[in-house]
């Protein structure tokens, strides 16, 4: 592994990109979490750093999944979007990482990736409206973002701010979370 891969492998947050990702969820998460002072690396689930979003936006990630397979980040962020979430679900290497990560925090793409892997059974979560049937025995809440233990889930693109608020609150404290979102002029009244 090269030194760049080592640096990315040791990041606090890994945001995984698959062709067809929801641009606002993915890029918004990277931006907000970096504003909050977290070390965030973007990771393509293929051997190419270039990934194309659901709406045609092309992103060049920091690294590729082969460079981070043994990583143990604090957070795994899985942006939704179709077919991006389904592509994440089909990625064997990512699935193995998620299975190892259940003691730590995981967020986003809850119905397609997390619930289908059985990781949300018996947990509170939220998901994009209409995907509730994929959630197994999870307790699906209609909230914009739901925290249950080490899982933070969001229900759609505009909820990326809510999800990141919860992550920043956990990692950096409520004041930092409020300051970051307030600086972005996001209404933080719950």
């Amino acid at each position: 592994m090269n030194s760049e891969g080592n640096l990315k492998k040791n990041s606090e947050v890994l945001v995984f990109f698959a062709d067809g990702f929801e641009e606002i969820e993915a890029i918004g998460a990277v931006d907000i979490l970096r504003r909050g002072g977290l070390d965030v690396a973007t990771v393509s689930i293929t051997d190419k750093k270039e990934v194309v979003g659901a709406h045609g936006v092309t992103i060049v990630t920091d690294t590729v999944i082969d460079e981070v397979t043994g990583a143990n980040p604090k957070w795994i962020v899985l942006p939704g979007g179709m077919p991006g979430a389904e592509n994440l679900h089909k990625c064997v290497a990512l699935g193995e990482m998620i299975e190892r990560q259940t003691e730590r925090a995981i967020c986003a793409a809850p119905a397609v990736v997390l619930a289908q892997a059985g990781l949300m059974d018996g947990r509170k979560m939220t998901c994009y409206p209409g995907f509730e049937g994929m959630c197994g025995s999870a307790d699906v809440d209609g909230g914009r973002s739901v925290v249950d233990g080490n899982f933070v889930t969001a229900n759609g693109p505009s909820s990326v701010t809510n999800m990141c608020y919860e992550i920043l609150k956990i990692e950096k404290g409520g004041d930092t979370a409020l300051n970051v979102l307030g600086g972005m002029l996001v209404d933080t009244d719950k």
Side-chain angles (χ1 to χ4, degrees):
M1 178 180 301
N2 63 34
S3 61
E4 178 184 311
N6 256 340
L7 292 174
K8 301 309 175 193
K9 184 175 184 173
N10 295 322
S11 294
E12 293 174 287
V13 181
L14 296 179
V15 180
F16 288 89
F17 285 71
D19 283 330
F21 68 91
E22 172 52 57
E23 289 92 340
I24 292 173
E25 288 178 24
I27 299 165
V30 172
D31 177 50
I32 296 167
L33 296 175
R34 284 182 179 170
R35 286 174 192 243
L38 294 176
D39 177 22
V40 179
T42 57
V43 183
S44 167
I45 65 163
T46 70
D47 60 353
K48 298 179 301 179
K49 288 184 177 183
E50 191 172 277
V51 186
V52 180
H55 303 98
V57 176
T58 301
I59 295 293
V60 177
T61 61
D62 297 318
T63 192
V64 297
I65 195 163
D66 287 346
E67 295 289 330
V68 299
T69 54
N72 191 25
K74 288 184 178 181
W75 296 89
I76 290 177
V77 177
L78 306 168
M82 287 304 222
E86 191 61 39
N87 289 334
L88 291 174
H89 175 65
K90 292 176 184 176
C91 179
V92 174
L94 178 58
E96 290 169 355
M97 182 179 275
I98 291 168
E99 287 292 325
R100 288 191 317 270
Q101 195 73 10
T102 58
E103 295 303 312
R104 296 175 70 90
I106 304 173
C107 45
V112 178
V113 180
L114 301 178
Q116 286 193 100
L119 297 175
M120 299 310 296
D121 290 345
R123 292 184 178 271
K124 288 188 99 141
M125 66 174 286
T126 191
C127 67
Y128 193 81
F131 283 73
E132 296 86 356
M134 301 175 85
C135 296
S137 67
D139 179 9
V140 180
D141 178 308
R144 293 176 60 79
S145 184
V146 173
V147 178
D148 185 332
N150 296 328
F151 292 84
V152 177
T153 56
N155 70 347
S158 70
S159 298
V160 68
T161 55
N162 304 78
M163 180 186 76
C164 291
Y165 170 80
E166 296 297 343
I167 294 169
L168 289 174
K169 193 164 70 169
I170 292 165
E171 287 298 318
K172 299 291 187 172
D175 288 343
T176 297
L178 286 172
N179 287 337
V180 169
L181 294 182
M184 295 172 58
L185 303 181
V186 173
D187 183 5
T188 55
D189 291 334
K190 293 253 174 190

